[in-house]
Amino acid sequence: MCCLAIQRLAAHASPSPCPGAGLPDAAFWWKERATCCKVRARRFGSQRQLVVVEPSSTAGVAVLKLKNLPVNSFSLEFLTELIINLEKLENDKTFRGIIITSDCPKAFSAGVDLREICGKNPAHYTEYWKVLQDLWLRLYLSNLVLISAINGPCAAGGCLIPLTSDYRILADNPKCLIGLNETRLGISAPFWFKDPLVNIIGHRASEHALQLGLLFPPAEALQVGIVDKVVPKDQVQSTALSVMTQWLAIPDHARQLTKNMIRKPTADLLVKHRDTDIQNFVSFISRDSIQKSLQMYLAKLKQNKD
């Protein structure tokens, strides 16, 4: 139940993106979307707590735990709850940083929830992709220090959170693979996944990783630079707190201005091209062949579960 599964469905590529019309910059646009998330949350009305926020032992630092069992797949409800919690933390001036980790034993995040993109209508697919874009913008432009404490596998769509964080710590476990492996399954990663990867590990290393669809084990992930530190799994959280202390030693205003200066041009590319990106996704996912493959894959998952 992840982005990997949809990527198995069609080696026939989605339409190539093209420039969209001129639109407001990222910061302005994304503020307009905040109200939509609150309305959507009221619509779900779920009693499940998919995101848990706790204060850490370090003043000014929150620990945000992803808890959408079994593998933190990106359901619309989960994405909405995550965005709302991030907004609350942004608005609470007592917090200066967030450590994001998983409270699911099997994975950090498995990416796209196939049930959200199978058997629905184009309006739903449009809403889903917009919300995924919203999460990316919320994280990538956050004024808070974001540290990903990656304590499980994190491939394809699951990489959204680490790639938008300021610092990434990976558990030293052979099962903890990380990377954008879309090409192995027939499609390419969205450009707004590609862009931060290029910013993080460089152009040539990104070409290599993206074209070959590499999933990096911890040592290789550290070597290529997609993560900043690799530590034993039981030390991921404490290491994240230690690193956070270093980041919080820098005055917030100076760090925030610098972060925005570096990241805003990349974020504005998504805002400018978001409509075309959505149209391409909806066109691709609405194909009869893709929907039939999704239905078959979900049926197989259900059989295995039963």
Side-chain angles (χ1 to χ4, degrees):
M1 296 183 351
C2 65
C3 195
L4 301 182
I6 183 176
Q7 294 150 4
R8 292 189 180 96
L9 302 175
H12 311 297
S14 56
S16 59
C18 60
L23 294 163
D25 68 20
F28 177 79
W29 171 67
W30 123 250
K31 287 179 182 177
E32 292 180 320
R33 297 285 302 162
T35 301
C36 298
C37 286
K38 292 174 182 175
V39 172
R40 194 180 300 112
R42 289 195 294 270
R43 187 181 78 203
F44 289 128
S46 173
Q47 298 301 311
R48 296 188 304 155
Q49 191 173 12
L50 306 179
V51 177
V52 177
V53 178
E54 301 171 348
S56 76
S57 57
T58 301
V61 179
V63 177
L64 188 152
K65 297 180 178 180
L66 310 176
K67 198 176 181 180
N68 189 21
L69 294 167
V71 289
N72 286 323
S73 54
F74 288 168
S75 67
L76 187 58
E77 183 181 8
F78 175 61
L79 292 172
T80 301
E81 188 172 330
L82 180 53
I83 291 170
I84 290 173
N85 276 278
L86 290 167
E87 182 185 5
K88 288 178 180 178
L89 289 169
E90 287 270 6
N91 293 332
D92 187 338
K93 301 308 178 185
T94 61
F95 291 108
R96 300 172 59 205
I98 308 173
I99 294 170
I100 304 176
T101 193
S102 172
D103 204 25
C104 298
K106 292 184 178 180
F108 179 81
S109 175
V112 171
D113 188 333
L114 298 184
R115 294 167 297 185
E116 296 288 359
I117 56 175
C118 181
K120 304 291 198 301
N121 56 48
H124 182 87
Y125 304 144
T126 296
E127 181 182 21
Y128 182 77
W129 205 246
K130 280 183 178 179
V131 174
L132 201 62
Q133 292 176 338
D134 287 346
L135 176 62
W136 188 95
L137 286 166
R138 167 61 78 178
L139 292 166
Y140 199 65
L141 294 174
S142 177
N143 280 327
L144 302 175
V145 177
L146 303 182
I147 295 179
S148 283
I150 308 164
N151 53 351
C154 184
C159 288
L160 184 150
I161 293 172
L163 288 176
T164 53
S165 295
D166 297 296
Y167 198 92
R168 290 154 288 277
I169 301 167
L170 180 63
D172 192 4
N173 185 304
K175 293 183 179 179
C176 290
L177 303 175
I178 184 169
L180 298 174
N181 62 327
E182 284 84 347
T183 54
R184 292 194 178 199
L185 304 157
I187 64 172
S188 62
F191 72 87
W192 36 287
F193 278 64
K194 177 267 297 180
D195 288 345
L197 183 68
V198 172
N199 294 342
I200 291 166
I201 69 173
H203 194 278
R204 179 60 189 132
S206 294
E207 276 196 323
H208 189 235
L210 288 166
Q211 290 191 52
L212 296 180
L214 299 181
L215 285 174
F216 298 101
E220 292 179 25
L222 182 62
Q223 183 178 22
V224 77
I226 196 171
V227 299
D228 301 292
K229 194 179 284 288
V230 171
V231 299
K233 190 171 183 178
D234 60 358
Q235 296 178 25
V236 169
Q237 193 72 15
S238 60
T239 302
L241 285 170
S242 176
V243 170
M244 181 67 78
T245 300
Q246 299 173 23
W247 282 73
L248 296 185
I250 305 300
D252 285 341
H253 68 280
R255 183 192 55 75
Q256 290 165 1
L257 285 171
T258 302
K259 180 177 181 177
N260 188 67
M261 175 179 63
I262 294 170
R263 292 192 171 198
K264 189 174 181 295
T266 300
D268 284 346
L269 286 174
L270 172 55
V271 175
K272 183 178 180 182
H273 300 292
R274 74 186 187 272
D275 285 345
T276 300
D277 182 60
I278 291 168
Q279 290 166 13
N280 289 342
F281 171 74
V282 174
S283 175
F284 172 75
I285 208 65
S286 298
R287 295 177 184 176
D288 288 342
S289 59
I290 301 302
Q291 285 296 307
K292 287 178 182 177
S293 296
L294 280 169
Q295 291 164 8
M296 291 173 60
Y297 187 83
L298 287 170
K300 184 177 179 181
L301 284 178
K302 189 175 186 302
Q303 279 184 345
N304 293 338
K305 186 176 180 181
D306 295 341

